Amino acid sequence: MSHTERLPRNRTYLMCPPEHFTVEYAINPWMDTTVPVDPALALKQWHLLRDTLSDLGHAVHVLDPAPGLPDMVYAANGAFSVDGKVYGARFRHPQRAAEADAHRLFYAGGSWTYADPLHINEGEGDFAYLPGAYGGLILAGYGFRTDPAAHAEAQEVLGRPVVSLRLVDPAFYHLDTALAALDDRHITYYPEAFSPASQRVLAQLFPDAVIADRADAEAFALNLVSDGHHVVLNTEAMAMGEKVRAAGYTPVHVELSELKRGGGSVKCVVAELRP
């Protein structure tokens, strides 16, 4: 992996402010309804992340939050877009179901081709796109939130090959808690979050991946956003920051401790728009 490849590419992102963010139910192992959320701190941390992405030269669109949808801040879960086509989300838990409608309305206001899903999937939470890998490859997770049938459906909608990966540890319930794209061809991942067969697939496809350990994964270090040069991680992920630095990237740390209470970090809060 030559460091000359570590060039940033301007991205377009979608975020939703945590104006209604609380932890009032538990649908993943990280959510604790007995610990109150500090809404002012959550909003401050969200603004810091948005400003960080803007300062790196990226465009950030904002989705209006809706009352009664406290997890809407995790904008990555609302859809998955590739080359102007959008595969919509269909949430596993009823508490989040209406989020899909808000995302659908956002895409309806642009020049997107939107497809309503038949199968349960949670957008970029369980899909990652690598346009420079094998001609354009989608990695897709299943086991907790997304049905395997959604992978075939996404392939038909988006016209890109989809590789199914089975998640086996409930602590890492979405693909984006266990794996991340560092640029258009390279990934980082925590092997033990995946089944043995999926580990073998990843090792074959990405022999030069940056390998994370459990401490990294539990710090939500894999829930990152990268523009191909700058890797934006939360401040707990210092060890992962050094690993990506050793691979030629530049880590950028942002405090997101309050939003972790809902089971998400940098990537969960940021959807990438790919016109």
Side-chain angles (χ1 to χ4, degrees):
M1 294 170 65
S2 168
H3 289 190
T4 59
E5 298 173 343
R6 308 294 186 262
L7 298 175
R9 175 166 58 81
N10 287 343
R11 312 290 178 116
T12 302
Y13 297 121
L14 178 66
M15 299 178 65
C16 180
E19 293 179 7
H20 307 289
F21 176 60
T22 63
V23 179
E24 59 188 35
Y25 48 77
I27 58 174
N28 69 60
W30 303 94
M31 301 177 84
D32 183 351
T33 59
T34 67
V35 180
V37 166
D38 183 335
L41 180 57
L43 191 59
K44 179 181 178 181
Q45 292 177 349
W46 181 89
H47 278 289
L48 179 59
L49 176 57
R50 186 190 66 176
D51 292 346
T52 297
L53 295 172
S54 296
D55 290 346
L56 291 173
H58 307 301
V60 180
H61 296 272
V62 176
L63 181 66
D64 291 334
L69 296 175
D71 283 344
M72 200 168 163
V73 63
Y74 302 119
N77 302 154
F80 177 54
S81 66
V82 174
D83 295 337
K85 299 176 182 177
V86 182
Y87 179 53
R90 187 182 180 94
F91 286 88
R92 170 72 62 187
H93 296 286
Q95 294 94 329
R96 300 195 65 185
E99 293 179 39
D101 297 329
H103 283 265
R104 183 187 300 106
L105 288 173
F106 170 82
Y107 290 104
S111 57
W112 302 88
T113 301
Y114 186 93
D116 277 311
L118 295 177
H119 299 287
I120 291 172
N121 80 90
E122 299 199 347
E124 279 197 323
D126 273 324
F127 291 102
Y129 182 51
L130 292 106
Y134 306 97
L137 187 69
I138 295 171
L139 301 179
Y142 72 98
F144 298 102
R145 294 293 189 87
T146 292
D147 288 346
H151 297 180
E153 188 176 37
Q155 181 170 277
E156 289 301 308
V157 169
L158 301 171
R160 293 287 184 272
V162 175
V163 175
S164 293
L165 302 167
R166 183 184 174 202
L167 297 162
V168 296
D169 188 329
F172 312 111
Y173 58 94
H174 272 155
L175 183 71
D176 68 5
T177 64
L179 178 152
L182 291 172
D183 57 34
D184 289 350
R185 297 193 295 116
H186 300 106
I187 68 167
T188 178
Y189 69 101
Y190 170 50
E192 283 71 26
F194 299 92
S195 69
S198 293
Q199 290 182 43
R200 292 193 293 272
V201 169
L202 285 168
Q204 179 177 340
L205 292 176
F206 302 98
D208 55 357
V210 175
I211 300 300
D213 59 25
R214 187 171 187 91
D216 296 322
E218 289 182 343
F220 276 49
L222 293 159
N223 199 243
L224 62 83
V225 168
S226 177
D227 63 14
H229 175 75
H230 307 99
V231 179
V232 183
L233 316 98
N234 70 67
T235 52
E236 290 184 57
M238 291 299 176
M240 176 56 71
E242 291 308 308
K243 290 176 183 177
V244 299
R245 189 189 303 278
Y249 303 92
T250 298
V252 179
H253 292 279
V254 179
E255 176 63 61
L256 279 187
S257 58
E258 204 62 20
L259 292 175
K260 187 181 179 183
R261 296 183 185 277
S265 191
V266 177
K267 178 56 196 159
C268 286
V269 177
V270 179
E272 183 167 352
L273 305 179
R274 303 177 185 89

